[in-house]
Amino acid sequence: MSFGSASTRPAAGAPCPCGAGTFGTCCGPLLDGVPAPSAERLMRSRYTAFVVGDVRHLVRSWHPRTRPDDVAADDGTRWRGLVVEEAHEEGDAATVTFRAAWTARGDDGVLREHSRFVRRGGRWVYVDGDVG
């Protein structure tokens, strides 16, 4: 399974790719291994990982039961923006619905996903999602 990347991390004071602050105070620490305080923050950090090509974070934040065997970056996709539509947490389960704009090989599009997350060992992890 391949994902788009720019293959570079923003500077700490630069805007975070997820749009919710500066990289050093938003998604940067999560990509470095700090647990996400909420499923929405994990989802935002996963979007940022797609943008910067951080496969290590994608693997670490994906539930092992549903994670593909091969998670690799795809330099042909550029992620252009994220909008979180809804986020709900109840106990150790959560859902986040989002839209992510992309450009690839001359085509533009928007991915819309209703994602499911669980808290496992005290950390939020992505389980799966419905695209559409």
Side-chain angles (χ1 to χ4, degrees), residues 6-95:
S7 301
T8 57
R9 287 174 63 117
C16 191
C18 83
T22 61
F23 182 73
T25 60
C26 189
C27 291
L30 279 63
L31 270 58
D32 290 336
V34 173
S38 67
E40 179 182 345
R41 286 286 307 279
L42 180 64
M43 189 282 308
R44 287 180 173 281
S45 74
R46 287 177 53 81
Y47 170 83
T48 296
F50 286 115
V51 171
V52 302
D54 189 334
V55 173
R56 182 179 54 111
H57 180 66
L58 294 172
V59 168
R60 179 178 59 238
S61 63
W62 210 320
H63 195 293
R65 182 175 43 85
T66 58
R67 181 178 56 230
D69 292 334
D70 180 28
V71 178
D74 173 8
D75 290 330
T77 302
R78 186 172 69 91
W79 294 96
R80 299 183 296 111
L82 174 69
V83 174
V84 174
E85 296 178 347
E86 291 184 277
H88 298 284
E89 287 184 18
E90 189 170 322
D92 290 337
T95 59

